Each structure stands twice: as C-alpha cells, then as structure tokens.
Amino acid sequence: MCARPSRPSRLRTRRPRRLVAVPVLLCALLALGTPPPAAAGEADGPGAMDGHGGSGTSAEVARLYEDAAKATERYEGERRAAEVQRGRVRKLDRLLAEERYQVAVLHDDLGRMASAQYRTGGGLPLTARLLLADSPDELLRGRRALGQADLAVTNAVAKTQRAAARLTTARRSAERARGVLDRRTARLARLKRDIETKLESARWTLQGEADASVAAGQCRGAVRLEQPEAASTRAWVTPVETYELSAGFDSAGERWARRHTGQDFAVDIGAPVRAVGAGRVVRVACGGGFGIEVVVRHRDGYYTQYAHLAAVTVDQGDAVRAGQWVGQAGTTGNSTGPHLHFEARLTPDLGSGVDPVKWLAERGVNLESASTG
C-alpha cells in the first residue's frame, strides 16, 4: 500500500483488445474503511451508486488503450519501413559514387592512351607512319592493339555510365518512397499523440469517479467489459500484462505501518488487471487503505488480492479463469501513485500474506526476469 501524486506522463501500451461496456451490476453499501464487502445480492440497498457513469468511462479508457496500442503498432511499423528506405538510399549513394569514380578512372585511361598515341606519331596519317616505320608489321599490330584497347575502354565507359544511370533512377525511386513513408509516419505520430492525450484525460476521469466512490464508502457495480480471448493455456499468469516491478514483499518504508505485505506493479490508471489463476471472487470492497480491491480464492486454497483499483469488472461470487480481467488499475486508497498492489495469502484477510514473487514462481511465473506477462 502506498497520497496521490501529479499525473504520470509515461504511457504503457498493451495488446489490443476489443472492449464493449454492458449494463453495470451494483454491489453493497460499505462503511468507509471496512474491508469486507456485503454479501452478493445485497447491492440494492439505499445509497448504492448508479454504476453507468463509471461503466462508460471504464469502457472509454479500455477502448483508448486498444486504440493507442494499434496506433503505436502502426507508427512503429512505418518508422521501421522508413528506416529501411533510408538505409537503401545510403547504399545506393555509395554504389553511385563508386560507379562515378569508375567512369572518371576510365576517362583518365582514355586520356593517357590518346596522349601516348600522339607522342608516338599518332598525329601523322597511317600511310606516312608505315613508310617511316622500321617494321610496318609491328606498327600495324600495335595499331590494332591500341584500337582494341580503345574500343574496350569505350565499351566499359558506356557500361559504367548505364549502371550509374540505373542507380540514379533507383535512388530517386527510393527517396520518393522514403518521403511517402516519412509523411505517413508523421501523420501516425500526430494520431498517436492525440489518442494518448485523450487516454490521459480519460484515465483521470476514471480515477476521479473511483475516488468519489471510495470517499462515499460505496462500491460501484462491476463494469462488464468484453473479456479478451485466452492468449495461452497456461494455468497461471502475471496479474498485469505489461509492467515494472516496484515495492516488493516485506520491504520497509514510511508508507507502511509495519512492512510491505505484497508486490507492487507500476502500471498506468486503467491498465487491465487479471486473475493470476482460476478461482472465485470472494471479496469486492472499496473502503480502507487498499481502496478498491478484489480478492480471489483459488482451487489450491490460496487467495490473491488486487488493490488500489480504479474499477472492477467482476462481482463477488463470480468464477474467473486465469488471465480474466478482474479490474482496472488505479491509485485509490493509501496510494502514492498508479500501481497494482498484489498479494498472495493463506486466508482472504490481511496479515496472512506470503511472498508473491516466490508464490508465482512455484507456479511457473517468473516475475524477476520478465517485463511482460
């Protein structure tokens, strides 16, 4: 558990999911600071909050997360393609410079050959040189060799010039493609920034609604978002898909009366929080230091807690599968910033926690070497 800071600027993205809000169920009226919830089916008492406002904001945050992920994916794809084109242009520039150098060398060779021909009498008519030559046959052979060399150099120059022309055309084509990609990348960057701005605003609207429900001691009902398809058949997963680990189990700090009772995951407001394994929801509460929290009992008898949420997507009594969303991350309760506080417990209550990193590792989930779940 961890007073609320200024809004964070870092945006995390997750795998795109299609999300749709459906009518909200209401949970029980709770006294402020009382951790256990009312039993399922007691959500119709006086003072229970209408959850439709929260449902709309939760769905909007979830949709914007999806849009941001898609926009980021497209932006990164276009950026990589533009980099490939830049590399192609650089390579063509090098090849073009080499071809032009070869043309210059061949032209120099032709110049040297012409000078040599002039110095050896090349300015005289061939008939006169034959009459003056000591060996006319040798002169004719030299003349033929010089002519063959001249033709070879001329052909080589023409061939090199054609190659240089092809390279120039290819370079222009690559530059045009790069220009198109750069413009598309710039448009996608603007779209991405616009989505991120809207997402940031929606996140804090969601958090404001969550804070209001906690301050009133009233839980909003579950926000029924369309659940993602199971990404794997694993029996156990991380409680959030993309994260950075922060405060760990049993660590000391000013924010805790004793020692830290769980593992914190630094995530943004609205990030989907998922059940680490199959089980049944035994508590949905919104008062006390943990703010909005969900507790799940698993088939092996252990319990897991997901705290400081901005919204929940399950009700007490619901069965959940591994990876199913149970809420959206936030910073309710005694929290210094957006994060998920996760505990593994022997009982549903505070004080029975075990080290969640070791507990998950025993189930094949290694948090220490993973940045994604």
Side-chain angles (χ1 to χ4, degrees):
M1 292 188 301
C2 352
R4 171 168 160 187
S6 59
R7 301 183 182 183
S9 59
R10 182 174 64 253
L11 173 68
R12 295 178 179 84
T13 59
R14 64 179 311 280
R15 185 178 303 155
R17 307 289 189 191
R18 187 163 296 281
L19 306 161
V20 179
V22 296
V24 176
L25 301 178
L26 301 178
C27 70
L29 173 65
L30 298 175
L32 180 63
T34 304
E42 295 181 1
D44 298 326
M49 292 183 65
D50 183 358
H52 288 285
S55 173
T57 306
S58 290
E60 177 70 2
V61 169
R63 182 186 65 79
L64 286 169
Y65 260 99
E66 179 183 5
D67 290 348
K70 289 179 178 178
T72 298
E73 184 178 3
R74 289 176 57 196
Y75 168 80
E76 289 299 322
E78 294 291 343
R79 184 189 59 77
R80 286 191 294 268
E83 284 300 320
V84 169
Q85 284 294 352
R86 288 189 183 92
R88 184 166 177 249
V89 170
R90 288 192 294 269
K91 181 179 179 180
L92 288 170
D93 280 341
R94 289 193 297 271
L95 292 173
L96 190 58
E98 291 172 5
E99 291 292 345
R100 286 173 175 162
Y101 173 77
Q102 292 299 325
V103 169
V105 169
L106 290 170
H107 276 298
D108 288 344
D109 288 344
L110 279 176
R112 284 191 294 271
M113 291 172 67
S115 297
Q117 185 181 19
Y118 179 79
R119 286 193 301 271
T120 57
L124 294 174
L126 179 60
T127 301
R129 280 185 282 144
L130 285 171
L131 291 173
L132 296 172
D134 295 331
S135 174
D137 289 340
E138 183 177 346
L139 178 62
L140 286 173
R141 285 195 298 272
R143 175 68 179 178
R144 284 194 296 271
L146 182 61
Q148 291 170 352
D150 186 28
L151 179 61
V153 171
T154 300
N155 289 336
V157 168
K159 181 179 178 181
T160 304
Q161 288 175 329
R162 289 194 296 270
R166 289 194 300 271
L167 283 170
T168 299
T169 301
R171 181 182 183 277
R172 289 171 180 166
S173 176
E175 284 182 332
R176 285 194 297 270
R178 186 191 68 184
V180 170
L181 287 167
D182 282 342
R183 289 190 292 273
R184 288 172 59 181
T185 301
R187 287 196 298 270
L188 286 170
R190 290 192 296 271
L191 173 64
K192 181 172 175 285
R193 286 194 300 269
D194 182 58
I195 293 172
E196 290 172 354
T197 299
K198 292 178 180 177
L199 178 56
E200 183 71 359
S201 176
R203 281 194 189 114
W204 288 98
T205 298
L206 178 64
Q207 183 61 45
E209 294 170 354
D211 289 340
S213 69
V214 171
Q218 298 172 320
C219 287
R220 292 176 295 158
V223 179
R224 297 301 186 179
L225 302 176
E226 183 178 324
Q227 292 288 335
E229 295 180 4
S232 71
T233 57
R234 294 176 57 185
W236 300 93
V237 298
T238 56
V240 284
E241 194 168 2
T242 302
Y243 60 86
E244 293 178 7
L245 296 177
S246 49
F249 178 74
D250 208 30
S251 57
E254 296 177 357
R255 298 185 297 272
W256 310 301
R258 297 179 180 83
R259 300 183 73 83
H260 196 229
T261 56
Q263 174 63 56
D264 287 351
F265 295 79
V267 292
D268 286 313
I269 293 169
V273 174
R274 54 192 189 175
V276 295
R280 189 169 297 277
V281 178
V282 296
R283 176 182 300 160
V284 176
C286 63
F290 286 118
I292 299 174
E293 63 169 320
V294 171
V295 177
V296 175
R297 185 185 189 280
H298 298 283
R299 294 168 180 171
D300 60 3
Y302 282 90
Y303 297 78
T304 53
Q305 180 211 31
Y306 313 81
H308 304 307
L309 304 177
V312 296
T313 58
V314 291
D315 280 319
Q316 185 172 315
D318 285 355
V320 294
R321 57 175 171 79
Q324 179 177 332
W325 294 347
V326 297
Q328 291 171 292
T331 181
T332 54
N334 181 19
S335 171
T336 59
H339 71 286
L340 169 70
H341 175 85
F342 172 77
E343 291 193 20
R345 297 172 172 176
L346 297 172
T347 75
D349 301 318
L350 177 65
S352 63
V354 297
D355 186 340
V357 173
K358 293 179 180 178
W359 186 84
L360 284 171
E362 291 170 357
R363 289 154 178 78
V365 179
N366 187 349
L367 295 180
E368 294 177 341
S369 62
S371 61
T372 61

